[in-house]
Amino acid sequence: KQEVTQIPAALSVPEGENLVLNCSFTDSAIYNLQWFRQDPGKGLTSLLLIQSSQREQTSGRLNASLDKSSGRSTLYIAASQPGDSATYLCATSVLTSGTYKYIFGTGTRLKVLA
Amino acid sequence: EAGVVQSPRYKIIEKKQPVAFWCNPISGHNTLYWYLQNLGQGPELLIRYENEEAVDDSQLPKDRFSAERLKGVDSTLKIQPAELGDSAVYLCASSPGTGVHEQYFGPGTRLTVT
């Protein structure tokens, strides 16, 4: 059974710092991996989607990498800003009982201090 | 383009009462998901539809939960009767096509059962 872990659970950094959020998963036979952002009381906003055949994806100040063999993905945020404060979740898509299912981590709660 | 719409945004009910949540996915999206999210946790899949067909409802507590997606567009999730432990955020998401694609989430319905 796929398990997705995100460490740390919470992180505070000063504005302008580059930072890395980690996501690890136990079953490397994933179809894709998606990073999301969730603001308090809101739904999830998709940030980046990495297919299993890809190594990384970039969008603006965000870069996500994927290493299937080691069961890890990282989300790199460059020059962090207070507006980046949110909870970041990763989710992997795996084949379970004949159907694909997204398994989510519990998230990293990020606070960027002005 | 409008995003995923959910209503109501908030609902407070007494235990043993019924409750229903409604979701309108992004236009043209064939796949619709219902997730449950407890505080501090990642979303957990309840049911996934491809068009009108429920292709994965293995995690739906069928003794009290039911869902439908008539005409393959809007969907309704119902709980009857509600229990205290059902207090959570219920998220709806949609994705284009069938199979495994990027998911787009609605704002969620926060249910409180007293």
Side-chain angles (χ1 to χ4, degrees):
Chain A
K1 179 185 173 184
Q2 176 76 293
E3 293 183 5
V4 180
T5 304
Q6 292 186 248
I7 296 174
L11 181 64
S12 288
V13 300
E15 181 178 7
E17 192 163 298
N18 301 325
L19 58 100
V20 174
L21 305 181
N22 297 295
C23 172
S24 61
F25 45 93
T26 55
D27 185 350
S28 62
I30 63 171
Y31 188 86
N32 58 33
L33 184 146
Q34 197 167 355
W35 281 94
F36 295 87
R37 166 187 174 136
Q38 187 172 31
D39 292 283
K42 302 287 180 63
L44 281 67
T45 300
S46 177
L47 297 174
L48 291 164
L49 174 71
I50 310 177
Q51 300 294 347
S52 62
S53 59
Q54 297 175 320
R55 296 284 293 182
E56 65 177 344
Q57 282 284 343
T58 298
S59 176
R61 294 182 295 108
L62 305 180
N63 175 277
S65 68
L66 175 63
D67 183 344
K68 280 178 46 179
S69 61
S70 66
R72 293 184 59 189
S73 176
T74 61
L75 179 67
Y76 175 84
I77 303 177
S80 58
Q81 304 170 358
D84 295 330
S85 298
T87 296
Y88 291 80
L89 297 114
C90 67
T92 64
S93 176
V94 291
L95 188 62
T96 305
S97 301
T99 185
Y100 282 100
K101 184 173 297 188
Y102 270 99
I103 307 297
F104 283 80
T106 54
T108 293
R109 192 167 61 255
L110 173 66
K111 187 168 186 177
V112 181
L113 305 170
Chain B
E1 178 183 87
V4 176
V5 179
Q6 290 187 247
S7 69
R9 291 294 317 279
Y10 306 91
K11 189 74 176 179
I12 301 174
I13 60 171
E14 294 182 347
K15 62 181 181 181
K16 301 185 180 179
Q17 295 300 306
V19 65
F21 314 125
W22 175 81
C23 174
N24 180 239
I26 293 173
S27 178
H29 280 196
N30 301 97
T31 301
L32 184 146
Y33 311 77
W34 281 104
Y35 288 92
L36 177 152
Q37 185 177 27
N38 288 304
L39 188 65
Q41 300 296 313
E44 298 174 20
L45 181 69
L46 289 171
I47 189 168
R48 178 165 75 99
Y49 283 94
E50 290 186 359
N51 299 305
E52 299 93 349
E53 183 182 1
V55 296
D56 184 357
D57 63 356
S58 58
Q59 311 249 97
L60 189 72
K62 298 180 183 64
D63 57 335
R64 297 185 299 109
F65 286 66
S66 64
E68 60 181 11
R69 190 183 185 198
L70 300 176
K71 301 181 181 178
V73 182
D74 296 359
S75 178
T76 302
L77 178 69
K78 299 178 181 177
I79 308 175
Q80 182 171 12
E83 296 179 352
L84 295 176
D86 296 332
S87 295
V89 175
Y90 292 83
L91 295 163
C92 178
S94 68
S95 61
T98 56
V100 188
H101 299 277
E102 188 170 2
Q103 296 182 79
Y104 299 84
F105 280 78
T109 297
R110 181 176 297 276
L111 173 67
T112 301
V113 182
T114 63

